[in-house]
Amino acid sequence: MTTELNEIIFIAKRERHKHLFLNYRNLHKFPAELLRDEGLPFLERLYMKRNSLTALPDNLALKLPNLIELYLHANNIVSIPEGIGNLTRLQSLDVSNNALQLVCPEIGRLRSLRHLRLSSNQLKCLPPEIGELKDLETLEVSMNQLTSLPDQLYRCTSLQNLTADHNLLRHIPRQLCCLRRLSQLSLASNRLTFLPLDLGKSRELLFVFVDNNVDLRGLPSYLYNKVIGCSGCGVSAQVVKGDPGGSLDEPLTETLFRLPPEVKVVCSETDNVAPLEELSMRTLHRICHQRTTDINIPKSLQDLLFLPLGHCHRCSQAMFTIVYPKLFPLRDTVLAGVHRRTAVSFVAYCCSSHCIRTFDLQG
């Protein structure tokens, strides 16, 4: 096997191959011949799936400087070396189905990366430096032990497909709502209790799958006209007696459904004026977006104004500390026949008692 492998690599070097297939070779170590002398400077695609590799060499970028695609699916790799950040032309990296426990921060230096596959590993967190991958289109992190996703993901402005099924996520960053190119979001079989208020506000987001999040009882009403998967959601929660579907006869509170923890106050229809703190934030937000020059306010406040808690589902008013929620049980919508094994409802988040009275899900 070693003689045959060395012969394959020798021919690849001599003939300046751009593709090299080393799948199913029972490799326990990275082949030394690949790194000998000048390496393979012309190689662009390296396939090494279904082997038994446990580590990658630190000088990988030095010997294979022009790699565009690196496929390492189904090995036993525990960590990615810091030197990975030197593969400046790399566009696709597949390290799925390995034994990864950590992704090094240097991953953020792969500025050409478009596809990153890390599914079926042992990851408990992702480095915030992933947010530096401006060209990233696909991120797959399913079948790990992630309890959160980095807020900095919103900087991945090219991201189109995010798959994070079968993890331990209790929430996702509301910054993800800023991803204008995101078209598919899959978060099935996690521990989600709520979703960001603005999720689905972007027209590009067409597919949202949150199946088997048993504590998830509410979907933002922006998802009403999307392709959604929510079977098995809310099945562990107690069914609310009576009809909670948007009636304003009694105050809507967190006893009916879970709200994001950032919401400080939940008001009823008897509250005609929002708190001064909320009115001030809304006014500042409006001024900041109308002016072309910066306003002299603290940066921390500027950052908060940049990312409101959500926007009113009726009038699009920005909201920061307060929402008026209105429920539309799934059984009362056209999707009831599609998602029968669920107790989830659509929730409209409004900015005032007037908006909550006049909001209609089908309007």
Side-chain angles (χ1 to χ4, degrees), residues 253-267:
T253 67
E254 289 187 85
T255 59
L256 293 182
F257 59 95
R258 295 179 183 271
L259 283 172
E262 298 93 336
V263 178
K264 298 180 180 179
V265 183
V266 180
C267 289

Side-chain angles (χ1 to χ4, degrees), residues 125-174:
C125 64
L126 296 175
E129 286 77 8
I130 281 185
E132 301 302 319
L133 304 177
K134 308 296 185 183
D135 292 335
L136 192 66
E137 298 175 4
T138 303
L139 176 60
E140 298 179 1
V141 292
S142 296
M143 299 292 292
N144 278 285
Q145 302 169 27
L146 299 174
T147 57
S148 64
L149 296 174
D151 295 345
Q152 292 80 0
L153 271 180
Y154 82 93
R155 297 176 183 169
C156 299
T157 52
S158 300
L159 193 62
Q160 299 175 20
N161 190 333
L162 174 57
T163 305
D165 303 329
H166 294 278
N167 278 284
L168 306 173
L169 301 174
R170 293 189 176 276
H171 70 280
I172 59 173
R174 70 174 190 258

Side-chain angles (χ1 to χ4, degrees), residues 11 17 23 28 30 62 72 115 122 165 168 176 200 235 306 312 341 355 363:
I11 294 174
H17 288 183
N23 301 324
H28 292 269
F30 203 88
L62 181 63
L72 300 163
H115 307 285
Q122 302 171 25
D165 303 329
L168 306 173
L176 292 186
V235 294
F306 165 73
C312 178
R341 193 176 64 88
C355 280

Side-chain angles (χ1 to χ4, degrees), residues 26-217:
N26 195 29
L27 299 175
H28 292 269
K29 293 183 179 180
F30 203 88
E33 284 298 317
L34 279 175
L35 309 173
R36 199 178 303 280
D37 301 325
E38 76 280 3
L40 278 78
F42 298 96
L43 194 66
E44 294 182 351
R45 291 170 176 84
L46 177 59
Y47 302 83
M48 302 184 71
K49 70 178 184 180
R50 297 286 177 184
N51 284 290
S52 299
L53 300 175
T54 58
L56 297 176
D58 291 329
N59 62 342
L60 185 63
L62 181 63
K63 299 299 182 178
L64 307 175
N66 289 305
L67 272 186
I68 294 176
E69 298 178 2
L70 178 58
Y71 296 97
L72 300 163
H73 172 78
N75 280 275
N76 295 314
I77 299 172
V78 177
S79 63
I80 300 175
E82 296 179 0
I84 196 77
N86 295 322
L87 288 170
T88 55
R89 297 191 62 201
L90 195 65
Q91 296 180 15
S92 184
L93 175 61
D94 187 346
V95 203
S96 57
N97 198 8
N98 275 272
L100 285 180
Q101 299 180 14
L102 185 68
V103 176
C104 61
E106 285 72 18
I107 197 83
R109 292 167 54 195
L110 299 176
R111 301 303 172 85
S112 299
L113 198 64
R114 296 172 58 189
H115 307 285
L116 178 58
R117 295 178 170 90
L118 301 169
S119 297
S120 299
N121 279 286
Q122 302 171 25
L123 297 172
K124 295 183 178 180
C125 64
L126 296 175
E129 286 77 8
I130 281 185
E132 301 302 319
L133 304 177
K134 308 296 185 183
D135 292 335
L136 192 66
E137 298 175 4
T138 303
L139 176 60
E140 298 179 1
V141 292
S142 296
M143 299 292 292
N144 278 285
Q145 302 169 27
L146 299 174
T147 57
S148 64
L149 296 174
D151 295 345
Q152 292 80 0
L153 271 180
Y154 82 93
R155 297 176 183 169
C156 299
T157 52
S158 300
L159 193 62
Q160 299 175 20
N161 190 333
L162 174 57
T163 305
D165 303 329
H166 294 278
N167 278 284
L168 306 173
L169 301 174
R170 293 189 176 276
H171 70 280
I172 59 173
R174 70 174 190 258
Q175 287 89 337
L176 292 186
C177 299
C178 298
L179 294 173
R180 299 306 177 191
R181 296 186 181 180
L182 188 66
S183 62
Q184 179 167 315
L185 177 63
S186 190
L187 302 163
S189 299
N190 276 278
R191 300 179 180 180
L192 296 175
T193 57
F194 65 91
L195 295 174
L197 276 60
D198 277 351
L199 190 65
K201 192 171 185 289
S202 168
R203 294 183 178 180
E204 292 297 320
L205 185 59
L206 300 177
F207 304 91
V208 176
F209 304 103
V210 289
D211 303 80
N212 297 312
N213 283 277
V214 295
D215 292 321
L216 181 64
R217 289 184 56 84

Side-chain angles (χ1 to χ4, degrees), residues 219-226 228 245-246 313-314 326-336 344-350 355-363:
L219 299 176
S221 63
Y222 285 124
L223 298 177
Y224 178 65
N225 290 320
K226 312 289 184 175
I228 60 172
H313 287 199
R314 181 183 179 276
K326 183 175 183 178
L327 270 68
F328 297 87
L330 194 64
R331 65 175 181 269
D332 296 340
T333 71
V334 294
L335 293 174
V344 77
S345 300
F346 287 104
V347 187
Y349 298 100
C350 298
C355 280
I356 197 173
R357 287 193 190 96
T358 54
F359 181 82
D360 183 1
L361 190 60
Q362 298 178 349

